[in-house]
Amino acid sequence: MPFTIYMLPEALMSVTGVTASGDGLDGVTQGDGSHLDNATITLNSNAWQAIEINDNDTDFADNDSGQQLVNSETVETEPGVFETFPPGTVVEAEFGITVTDPDGNSYQLVAFNFRTGSPGYATVEGLAFIGPQGGFPPVGQPLTVTGSQEGPSFAAPTYATPICFVAGTRIATPNGEVAIEDLCAGDLVITCEGGAEPIRWIGSSRFPAEGRLAPVEFARGALGNARPLWVSRQHRIRLSGWRAELYFGEDAVWVPAAHFLGRAGVSVVEGGEVTYYHLLLDAHRTLLAEGVEAESLHPGEIARETIGAAAEAELMARFPDLGPLSRRCISHLSLTAREARILVAA
């Protein structure tokens, strides 16, 4: 059964403080990751790359020759160096590491290995991340490796994935509200920044609606919405007005949906399956989803992890005015959980 893992290629990060038994993410200590203990990893980009994998189970694990690429994948393994791995290449979770950011937050990372090197366990081409949708570690901050683990095996749905809308969400367009699954690239949608703007790309992913993958529901009226609004946990809602200006000196700020939990009419909905849709515009924009101001796909955060390197190249060829996706900027300040609590409670 196929599943998708989002990984960041090694070329897009800096690794310092590695022991003599390793070189960057690569190690010769039987692939257990111990060469990275106490090292520092800094992610230099949010251009996570989507890797679709065929397997006979739903776990992405070490030493599983049944995990094979569905498509050809081109990965930047070193700055300016790209390697292409053909369909059928065996991939595995070589080792796990735990890292801590400067604020004391911990993250579980998994070494992503295309099993083509010699020995196979000694080459690692990138990192994947355990976490909720949008739950990737911060970019540009030093992450200290506090532990390493051999033989990781995590269920595919526990890996971090992009932020998105749930199928059925109605998006405002010049012709009225349209269910997101009925929209196509080239269709116009209404944005708060630029009026009607074209959709550049739209995609979808299907997951069990359980745990971290379960959507957040804003019941009717919770944010002035006439119908329930369902989004992934890290999908951001725009709040504006005097509170944003008073507390943060901004005319508007972004608040992840999960930070509204505990407020009347906001809850997590578990059970069955959920289809999430990702909608990319020329830049990070504010859409009207069920009448609520919510973000479009943020290219600078998601970039190639959602559409893949080949699709990004095709997109750039068709729309060269977009510019490199990974360099796009967020449109408003995004609040932390602590900051959001202040604003939501005000």
Side-chain angles (χ1 to χ4, degrees):
M1 60 186 68
F3 56 79
T4 300
I5 300 295
Y6 296 87
M7 57 87 79
L8 185 70
E10 184 173 11
L12 302 182
M13 63 186 74
S14 303
V15 183
T16 58
V18 179
T19 67
S21 60
D23 179 16
L25 298 180
D26 299 342
V28 294
T29 52
Q30 293 301 313
D32 63 6
S34 60
H35 67 290
L36 290 171
D37 287 346
N38 300 312
T40 299
I41 299 174
T42 303
L43 309 182
N44 299 320
S45 172
N46 282 323
W48 326 115
Q49 185 167 341
I51 307 295
E52 190 173 4
I53 299 167
N54 263 329
D55 195 7
N56 57 6
D57 57 52
T58 58
D59 292 340
F60 184 53
D62 191 12
N63 295 319
D64 185 347
S65 59
Q67 299 168 167
Q68 300 180 5
L69 293 180
V70 173
N71 308 301
S72 175
E73 299 290 352
T74 299
V75 178
E76 189 175 4
T77 54
E78 299 178 31
V81 177
F82 294 84
E83 291 188 50
T84 299
F85 303 94
T89 299
V90 174
V91 292
E92 56 185 352
E94 188 57 51
F95 56 79
I97 54 174
T98 305
V99 300
T100 302
D101 68 18
D103 294 328
N105 301 306
S106 293
Y107 302 87
Q108 177 66 51
L109 280 56
V110 174
F112 196 104
N113 176 18
F114 294 84
R115 196 195 291 175
T116 57
S118 180
Y121 61 75
T123 57
V124 171
E125 286 76 21
L127 292 172
F129 309 87
I130 303 300
Q133 286 150 335
F136 299 98
V139 170
Q141 296 189 26
L143 306 172
T144 302
V145 179
T146 56
S148 56
Q149 310 91 35
E150 187 173 7
S153 179
F154 294 97
T158 65
Y159 282 79
T161 57
I163 56 174
C164 28
F165 294 103
V166 171
T169 301
R170 299 188 305 181
I171 305 296
T173 78
N175 297 317
E177 293 185 318
V178 177
I180 192 168
E181 62 268 28
D182 294 331
L183 293 171
C184 301
D187 289 348
L188 296 178
V189 292
I190 299 298
T191 71
C192 294
E193 293 85 359
E197 297 191 35
I199 297 171
R200 295 302 197 180
W201 177 87
I202 188 168
S204 64
S205 304
R206 191 171 182 85
F207 298 98
E210 301 172 356
R212 295 173 175 175
L213 293 174
V216 172
E217 178 189 20
F218 292 85
R220 178 179 177 180
L223 292 176
N225 44 312
R227 285 173 19 114
L229 169 66
W230 293 29
V231 295
S232 61
R233 289 174 180 255
Q234 297 303 316
H235 202 121
R236 288 176 290 212
I237 305 299
R238 191 174 83 156
L239 295 183
S240 58
W242 67 267
R243 292 179 178 84
E245 187 171 353
L246 175 63
Y247 290 113
F248 304 104
E250 302 281 344
D251 61 345
V253 293
W254 289 119
V255 180
H259 296 344
F260 287 89
L261 291 173
R263 178 172 173 168
V266 184
S267 61
V268 173
V269 180
E270 293 192 285
E273 294 186 321
V274 59
T275 300
Y276 288 111
Y277 280 81
H278 331 294
L279 195 156
L280 176 71
L281 275 62
D282 281 335
H284 192 218
R285 298 300 195 201
T286 306
L287 304 172
L288 294 175
E290 305 296 355
V292 175
E293 295 183 351
E295 66 177 330
S296 67
L297 185 66
H298 179 201
E301 286 186 351
I302 308 304
R304 290 156 66 182
E305 102 287 8
T306 296
I307 64 175
E312 183 188 17
E314 178 184 357
L315 191 62
M316 292 302 97
R318 292 175 58 195
F319 305 106
D321 55 305
L322 281 177
L325 298 183
S326 60
R327 297 179 186 174
R328 308 304 289 271
C329 298
I330 190 170
S331 58
H332 299 290
L333 173 69
S334 183
L335 301 188
T336 65
R338 180 181 300 175
E339 292 170 336
R341 282 194 295 269
I342 296 173
L343 188 62
V344 171

